Amino acid sequence: MASRGPVVPRITDVAALAGVSTSTASKALNDTGQLREETRERVRRAAEQLGFTPDSRGRALSSGRSYTVGLITTDSSGRFSIPIMLGAEDALSAGEMALVLCDTRDDALRESHYLKSLVARRVDGIIVTGRRTEPRAPIDVPMPVVYAFSPSSDPAGTSVVMDDHGGAASAVRHLLSLGRRRIAHVTGPATHRSAVVRAAATVAAAGDALIGEPLHGEWSERWGRHAVDVLLRTGEVDAISCGSDQIARGVCDRLRELGRAVPDDVAVTGFDNWSVMALASRPPLTTVDLRLEELGRRTAQLLLEMIGGAAPSGLVSMPMELVPRESTLGT
Amino acid sequence: MASRGPVVPRITDVAALAGVSTSTASKALNDTGQLREETRERVRRAAEQLGFTPDSRGRALSSGRSYTVGLITTDSSGRFSIPIMLGAEDALSAGEMALVLCDTRDDALRESHYLKSLVARRVDGIIVTGRRTEPRAPIDVPMPVVYAFSPSSDPAGTSVVMDDHGGAASAVRHLLSLGRRRIAHVTGPATHRSAVVRAAATVAAAGDALIGEPLHGEWSERWGRHAVDVLLRTGEVDAISCGSDQIARGVCDRLRELGRAVPDDVAVTGFDNWSVMALASRPPLTTVDLRLEELGRRTAQLLLEMIGGAAPSGLVSMPMELVPRESTLGT
């Protein structure tokens, strides 16, 4: 065992150094029982000298809680679930709760294995998140669960989701407020719920100002560039609202190559506020911030409330935020 | 308590349903003791019916291990630490170990708070990672620690780092093998160790083929675009090796705008294999993959070995991998 390196000091080591019994040492450190102050102080000094930290697992076992929350994610690339996870971790650590990470890599067998392990560890609750906004099947575990980003298909569960509709509408209202009246919408696949919801909100908010039908394609810069060619073949526009920052960046690049000024000739809006896209775009993008970290924080707060005894909250929709930049405002 | 929702079934519930004592139920589920097979089977069915899962914390307490590892990261943006974390999580979950996430947000007070909490939880070991390749001060905890990406300044500790030197040299050798003999190097700030190491390796590998001194600037597309103007003002080059994919993407964009063909006139290499940059670049980038997930996996394996009693390994350098694409090979 010598090669194992440092050893965690135990309460028995503290007791031995202080020359007291283990139960006296325990009382001294927990400020319980009837002890002379001198004894208490001697035990405290011994604990400090050895670098002793009380074992929080004892508290956990006796309280029936583990002060641990599991986070199940299917999103190994992390684009959406990482900020949610960091927000949740921030809210949980403030409550002395640890977050255990479980990356299922979209594999149902891995998910089932992780759920068993989290139940065996007696986590106090579980957060489930994913990479798509489509509802997912609920998990069956004997502790509180909150779904983030990908809601549960069970409306009685607690799910915290983005308000895609409100976000898309805010981008259109921004373009209308700048006097744009020929607005096109370019977005992701019609098989993706987020693209469909954003497109429907755009159609509703733009009214007569919408030019043509929403154009669906990949979530890529390449599709954004191609969509500009499609749009300019069929007529003129003075604004293009896009379903993602990647698409919007491609749109800006192609407009510039064709000699159209952004925003003077055509204003462009993105979606995501993914800084590596939105800020590197020429010009930088007016876009809709998903506020994912805030979504993660709210998810953790609701889970903590449920662990404390609160009833499930159903579907909770979190607002997005329009972030205006040069692609609509100019310099 | 009714509003707390589902309740975790206990061994006493299983025993009551099966009509046996708690100790009999425990023996039946642990396959110990002398019991009739019929009794064992009745207890198993009761456990299944109630959805009972044995409490793994008992095993943890009696073995002196928590089967938990803490991960301390300073990198809240996650560019580098997220893939490391996912690789570590993958390797740990195979060994039934849980990973607890601690995001310090570069705050020393938060770090110290997290370390205390991890020690109190009796984690079996700790992984420390960061956003820079500069060495960092070691942490003082009574359990094994492995540093990933940001090595410990204590050479006796175990640190798993990237081989920046080898990666940069492989990009230059690739350019030389394609017949390029006028190679410029454009990279990040001279105050960043990774930029300095990559520049030194490029100078050493390129020899007479290097044109001018390495150019240091921001890690940005904007700097890449600007650097092309600087280079072409002072002479001609047939290749530009870049310290990041962002810089390389800016280099490609500016060369195209100036009517220089990539790679026919000028071959370009990136660094990172950050897919959102490397694949969206026009043309897609030949680049050096940092293999961060593999680095995370190796980190976890070394930590597991140390938890099992192995001695620290000192500095472990992980190879990178050249990924050739159109920016040097053409279409």
Side-chain angles (χ1 to χ4, degrees):
Chain A
M1 291 296 285
S3 65
R4 278 194 66 175
V7 165
V8 180
R10 303 186 195 192
I11 185 79
T12 50
D13 303 325
V14 175
L17 182 62
V20 300
S21 71
T22 307
S23 95
T24 298
S26 173
K27 283 178 198 153
L29 294 174
N30 291 317
D31 262 335
T32 56
Q34 304 274 330
L35 294 180
R36 278 185 301 168
E37 186 47 40
E38 181 210 312
T39 309
R40 242 183 247 288
E41 186 51 34
R42 198 162 72 241
V43 172
R44 273 195 218 109
R45 275 201 309 271
E48 199 174 316
Q49 195 178 328
L50 294 172
F52 173 81
T53 313
D55 188 334
S56 64
R57 295 177 303 166
R59 176 188 68 143
L61 275 178
S62 65
S63 70
R65 286 182 47 183
S66 63
Y67 296 92
T68 305
V69 163
L71 183 133
I72 297 267
T73 171
T74 62
D75 177 17
S76 39
S77 76
R79 267 274 278 120
F80 301 112
S81 63
I82 298 299
I84 293 171
M85 183 177 81
L86 295 175
E89 194 268 347
D90 191 41
L92 290 170
S93 70
E96 303 284 330
M97 304 278 281
L99 184 71
V100 168
L101 175 68
C102 304
D103 175 16
T104 68
R105 294 167 188 244
D106 251 338
D107 175 341
L109 260 177
R110 274 178 82 113
E111 177 169 303
S112 135
H113 170 82
Y114 275 123
L115 289 176
K116 273 196 196 121
S117 160
L118 290 173
V119 171
R121 285 176 181 274
R122 297 295 189 267
V123 295
D124 298 325
I126 295 179
I127 292 170
V128 178
T129 184
R131 81 176 78 205
R132 296 275 294 266
T133 62
E134 275 75 6
R136 57 153 288 154
I139 61 173
D140 180 23
V141 291
M143 60 259 304
V145 179
V146 180
Y147 301 82
F149 196 76
S150 305
S152 169
S153 55
D154 173 8
T158 303
S159 299
V160 185
V161 298
M162 305 185 295
D163 178 12
D164 265 312
H165 197 282
S170 73
V172 173
R173 281 198 305 269
H174 173 69
L175 292 170
L176 291 172
S177 77
L178 295 170
R180 306 293 165 147
R181 290 296 178 271
R182 300 185 59 79
I183 302 173
H185 185 60
V186 178
T187 189
T191 51
H192 280 217
R193 193 169 187 281
S194 55
V196 171
V197 171
R198 290 170 196 176
T202 301
V203 169
D208 291 346
L210 191 78
I211 297 297
E213 294 290 309
L215 297 180
H216 289 281
E218 302 171 339
W219 297 113
S220 71
E221 295 180 56
R222 180 195 302 264
W223 161 235
R225 293 195 297 267
H226 181 64
V228 168
D229 293 337
V230 173
L231 281 172
L232 296 187
R233 211 179 295 138
T234 53
E236 285 301 316
V237 298
D238 61 13
I240 304 176
S241 88
C242 301
S244 80
D245 288 342
Q246 280 175 285
I247 292 172
R249 185 173 178 181
V251 163
C252 288
D253 279 347
R254 187 63 185 148
L255 287 170
R256 188 177 60 256
E257 287 169 7
L258 296 173
R260 309 291 177 112
V262 176
D264 292 351
D265 298 333
V266 184
V268 177
T269 59
F271 215 99
D272 288 341
N273 200 21
W274 187 14
S275 60
V276 64
M277 284 294 144
L279 298 178
S281 173
R282 290 188 281 169
L285 297 174
T286 292
T287 185
V288 179
D289 192 307
L290 307 185
R291 306 194 74 223
L292 294 173
E293 205 169 313
E294 193 54 35
L295 193 156
R297 212 170 272 123
R298 186 81 191 109
T299 298
Q301 283 158 354
L302 287 172
L303 185 63
L304 289 174
E305 289 171 16
M306 285 169 71
I307 292 168
S313 308
L315 196 68
V316 176
S317 181
M318 299 287 290
M320 299 179 175
E321 185 183 8
L322 186 83
V323 180
R325 295 201 187 92
E326 287 93 317
S327 71
T328 57
L329 301 181
T331 45
Chain B
M1 292 297 284
S3 65
R4 279 194 66 173
V7 165
V8 180
R10 303 185 194 195
I11 186 80
T12 51
D13 303 324
V14 175
L17 182 62
V20 299
S21 71
T22 306
S23 94
T24 299
S26 173
K27 282 177 199 157
L29 294 174
N30 291 317
D31 262 334
T32 55
Q34 304 272 332
L35 295 180
R36 277 185 302 167
E37 186 48 39
E38 182 210 312
T39 308
R40 242 183 248 288
E41 185 52 33
R42 198 165 70 241
V43 172
R44 274 195 219 108
R45 273 202 308 272
E48 200 174 318
Q49 196 178 329
L50 295 172
F52 173 81
T53 313
D55 189 333
S56 66
R57 295 177 302 167
R59 175 188 67 145
L61 275 178
S62 65
S63 70
R65 286 181 49 182
S66 64
Y67 295 93
T68 305
V69 163
L71 183 132
I72 297 266
T73 172
T74 61
D75 177 17
S76 40
S77 75
R79 268 274 278 121
F80 301 112
S81 64
I82 297 299
I84 293 171
M85 184 177 81
L86 294 176
E89 195 267 349
D90 190 41
L92 291 171
S93 70
E96 302 285 330
M97 304 278 280
L99 185 71
V100 168
L101 175 67
C102 305
D103 176 15
T104 68
R105 296 169 187 242
D106 252 339
D107 175 341
L109 260 178
R110 274 178 81 112
E111 177 168 304
S112 138
H113 170 82
Y114 274 124
L115 289 175
K116 272 195 199 122
S117 161
L118 290 173
V119 170
R121 283 174 183 275
R122 298 295 188 267
V123 295
D124 298 325
I126 295 178
I127 292 170
V128 178
T129 185
R131 81 177 78 205
R132 296 275 295 265
T133 63
E134 275 77 5
R136 57 154 286 153
I139 61 172
D140 181 24
V141 290
M143 60 258 304
V145 179
V146 179
Y147 301 82
F149 196 76
S150 304
S152 168
S153 55
D154 173 8
T158 303
S159 299
V160 184
V161 298
M162 303 186 296
D163 178 11
D164 265 312
H165 197 281
S170 73
V172 173
R173 282 197 306 269
H174 173 69
L175 292 170
L176 291 172
S177 78
L178 295 170
R180 307 292 164 147
R181 289 297 177 271
R182 300 184 59 79
I183 302 173
H185 185 59
V186 179
T187 191
T191 51
H192 281 217
R193 193 169 188 279
S194 55
V196 172
V197 171
R198 291 170 195 176
T202 301
V203 170
D208 291 346
L210 191 78
I211 298 297
E213 294 290 311
L215 297 180
H216 289 280
E218 302 170 338
W219 296 112
S220 71
E221 295 180 54
R222 180 195 303 263
W223 161 233
R225 293 195 298 266
H226 181 65
V228 168
D229 293 338
V230 173
L231 281 171
L232 296 187
R233 211 180 294 139
T234 54
E236 285 301 316
V237 299
D238 61 13
I240 304 177
S241 89
C242 302
S244 80
D245 288 342
Q246 280 174 286
I247 292 172
R249 186 174 178 179
V251 164
C252 288
D253 279 347
R254 187 65 185 147
L255 286 169
R256 190 179 57 256
E257 287 169 6
L258 296 173
R260 309 290 177 113
V262 176
D264 292 350
D265 297 333
V266 183
V268 177
T269 60
F271 216 99
D272 287 340
N273 200 24
W274 187 15
S275 60
V276 65
M277 284 293 144
L279 298 178
S281 172
R282 289 187 282 169
L285 297 173
T286 292
T287 185
V288 179
D289 191 308
L290 307 184
R291 304 192 78 222
L292 293 174
E293 204 169 312
E294 194 55 35
L295 193 155
R297 212 170 270 124
R298 187 83 190 107
T299 298
Q301 283 158 355
L302 287 171
L303 185 63
L304 288 174
E305 288 171 17
M306 285 168 71
I307 292 169
S313 308
L315 196 69
V316 176
S317 180
M318 299 288 290
M320 298 179 176
E321 186 184 6
L322 185 83
V323 180
R325 295 200 187 95
E326 287 92 319
S327 71
T328 58
L329 300 181
T331 45

